[in-house]
């Protein structure tokens, strides 16, 4: 009888471990909104099921895409994700331009979109943000990116995918997710309006800057937490508890009326915006003009260490 109970206990433990292993990493990490992410196993199941509505987008550079990509994945990169005539380089594309691009990539208004890049790249979050601002609801990011897919030994392709033209059209805009330089300037002394700078420490302190930003430094009163702080040593998300602790230590609270996130040009900021959304923050805006926009405005103040 003792052996019987021992066997059942071991069986229960084994089944529990198997069930835990089958959960998406986001669910294991206890995120508030794990549905914004998709695991490699779940995506592979959708591909094997022949989901005709599924559209996969690769946002790595062209060379990496051509060396291997997910089945039927289309490619977007660089200028595809930026406004052609924006006064600040790499603002999100205008609605008509983005509609045309998405159509050329085979995207429909009812498509189920999955985006992936390198495991620690902010570009997948950037494209996710663009789709969501333009009111496409069914869009997720692949956990672990291409590396996780490749390590799981799932099928890949080399030849570019050339889909039939889609019918995607921007029908609405979530303007409430965006904030501009004037609004940031008006709220520098507003304790309920948090300005979160997620650039490197050297950029934040004014020790260095990047292309198109004529001035070094930071927005007075902004707080700093580098965007990579939420990632582990291989570029995957830390647990929700660890990330929440990081945010709380930095003073990034859900109680704030607004959290405006900026980087150099809005790309890395999109990753932090996405992270905050996954954690259930509902008070987040992206400052798309970011440091390039602020530093080009001579009428706006700059602070340095």
């Amino acid at each position: 009888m003792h052996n019987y109970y021992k066997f059942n206990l071991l069986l229960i433990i084994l089944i529990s471990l198997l069930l835990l292993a089958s959960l998406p990493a986001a669910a294991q990490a206890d995120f508030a909104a794990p549905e914004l992410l998709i695991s490699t196993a779940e995506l592979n199941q959708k591909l094997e099921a022949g989901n005709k509505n599924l559209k996969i987008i690769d946002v790595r550079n062209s060379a990496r895409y051509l060396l291997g990509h997910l089945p039927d994945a289309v490619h977007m990169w660089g200028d595809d994700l930026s406004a052609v005539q924006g006064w600040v380089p790499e603002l999100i594309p205008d609605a008509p331009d983005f509609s045309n691009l998405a159509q050329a990539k085979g995207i429909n208004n009812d498509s189920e979109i999955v985006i992936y890049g390198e495991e620690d790249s902010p570009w997948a979050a950037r494209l996710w943000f663009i789709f969501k601002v333009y009111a496409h609801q069914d869009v997720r990011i692949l956990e672990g990116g291409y590396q996780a897919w490749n390590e799981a030994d799932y099928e890949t392709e080399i030849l570019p995918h050339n889909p039939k033209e889609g019918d995607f059209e921007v029908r609405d805009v979530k303007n409430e997710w965006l904030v501009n330089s004037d609004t940031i300037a008006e709220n520098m002394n507003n304790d309920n309006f948090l300005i979160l700078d997620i650039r490197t420490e050297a950029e934040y302190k004014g020790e260095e800057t990047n292309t198109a930003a004529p001035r070094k430094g930071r927005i007075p009163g902004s707080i700093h937490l580098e965007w990579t702080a939420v990632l582990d040593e291989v570029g995957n998300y830390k647990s929700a508890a660890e990330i929440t602790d990081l945010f709380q230590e930095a003073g990034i609270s859900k109680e704030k009326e607004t959290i405006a996130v900026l980087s150099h040009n809005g790309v890395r900021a999109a990753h932090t915006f996405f992270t905050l959304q996954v954690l259930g923050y509902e008070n987040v805006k992206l400052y798309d003009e970011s440091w390039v926009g602020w530093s080009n405005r001579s009428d706006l103040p700059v602070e340095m260490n």
Side-chain angles (χ1 to χ4, degrees):
M1 184 66 71
H2 176 73
N3 288 338
Y4 172 79
Y5 284 116
K6 186 176 181 180
F7 173 79
N8 279 348
L9 179 61
L10 289 172
L11 184 61
I12 290 170
I13 292 172
L14 178 60
I15 292 172
S16 298
L17 288 172
L18 288 171
L19 288 172
L20 181 61
S22 68
L23 285 172
Q28 292 186 48
D30 199 27
F31 288 121
E35 68 276 5
L36 300 181
L37 291 151
I38 185 171
S39 69
T40 54
E42 185 181 354
L43 179 56
N44 188 59
Q45 288 174 359
K46 289 179 179 293
L47 283 169
E48 289 183 339
N51 186 337
K52 302 295 184 183
N53 216 30
L54 181 66
K55 303 295 180 182
I56 303 174
I57 306 174
D58 184 316
V59 294
R60 298 174 301 151
N61 65 41
S62 300
R64 290 184 181 274
Y65 174 76
L66 293 173
L67 286 171
H69 53 264
L70 272 63
D72 293 341
V74 296
H75 184 244
M76 292 188 188
W77 173 248
D79 290 345
D80 291 338
L81 309 180
S82 307
V84 177
Q85 301 295 333
W87 78 275
V88 173
E90 296 180 1
L91 290 174
I92 66 171
D94 294 334
D97 292 335
F98 189 69
S99 293
N100 291 335
L101 170 67
Q103 290 168 16
K105 299 298 181 178
I107 308 297
N108 298 314
N109 284 317
D110 63 350
S111 289
E112 178 183 354
I113 299 171
V114 173
I115 306 166
Y116 72 90
E118 306 294 351
E119 55 194 358
D120 59 350
S121 169
W123 284 101
R126 181 61 170 177
L127 182 56
W128 173 90
F129 179 81
I130 295 169
F131 270 115
K132 295 290 278 188
V133 164
Y134 287 144
H136 191 91
Q137 297 304 315
D138 197 351
V139 53
R140 292 191 280 176
I141 292 177
L142 178 65
E143 295 179 75
Y146 183 77
Q147 286 87 340
W149 183 267
N150 207 28
E151 287 169 7
D153 202 27
Y154 292 132
E155 181 184 353
T156 59
E157 296 176 348
I158 295 177
L159 294 177
H161 179 58
N162 297 304
K164 176 184 176 182
E165 184 171 311
D167 62 13
F168 178 85
E169 184 178 358
V170 174
R171 296 175 175 173
D172 195 11
V173 182
K174 284 188 175 182
N175 287 310
E176 68 273 16
W177 275 18
L178 292 161
V179 65
N180 62 24
S181 297
D182 290 335
T183 301
I184 295 288
E186 291 166 4
N187 285 279
M188 282 193 299
N189 298 316
N190 181 354
D191 291 337
N192 214 21
F193 190 103
L194 187 134
I195 305 168
L196 174 58
D197 189 323
I198 56 80
R199 297 176 297 160
T200 65
E201 186 175 4
E203 289 175 284
Y204 180 74
K205 288 183 174 181
E207 297 168 356
E208 62 182 44
T209 189
N210 290 310
T211 307
R215 295 189 290 171
K216 297 179 181 180
R218 62 179 177 271
I219 299 173
S222 61
I223 66 170
H224 179 248
L225 181 67
E226 190 167 341
W227 73 279
T228 55
V230 302
L231 304 174
D232 63 21
E233 62 277 1
V234 296
N236 293 319
Y237 272 124
K238 296 176 181 177
S239 71
E242 290 175 296
I243 299 172
T244 299
D245 286 345
L246 284 169
F247 285 159
Q248 289 179 346
E249 288 171 9
I252 305 165
S253 169
K254 289 183 179 180
E255 304 307 314
K256 296 288 184 181
E257 182 179 317
T258 300
I259 299 173
V261 188
L262 75 134
S263 54
H264 179 69
N265 55 17
V267 176
R268 288 173 289 176
H271 187 278
T272 301
F273 184 100
F274 180 81
T275 303
L276 289 163
Q277 289 279 308
V278 169
L279 285 176
Y281 282 70
E282 297 178 352
N283 54 346
V284 192
K285 296 181 186 292
L286 193 141
Y287 175 30
D288 202 30
E289 296 163 18
S290 276
W291 183 249
V292 172
W294 188 272
S295 68
N296 271 283
R297 288 269 303 267
S298 59
D299 60 315
L300 298 175
V302 168
E303 187 175 73
M304 296 177 64
N305 276 12

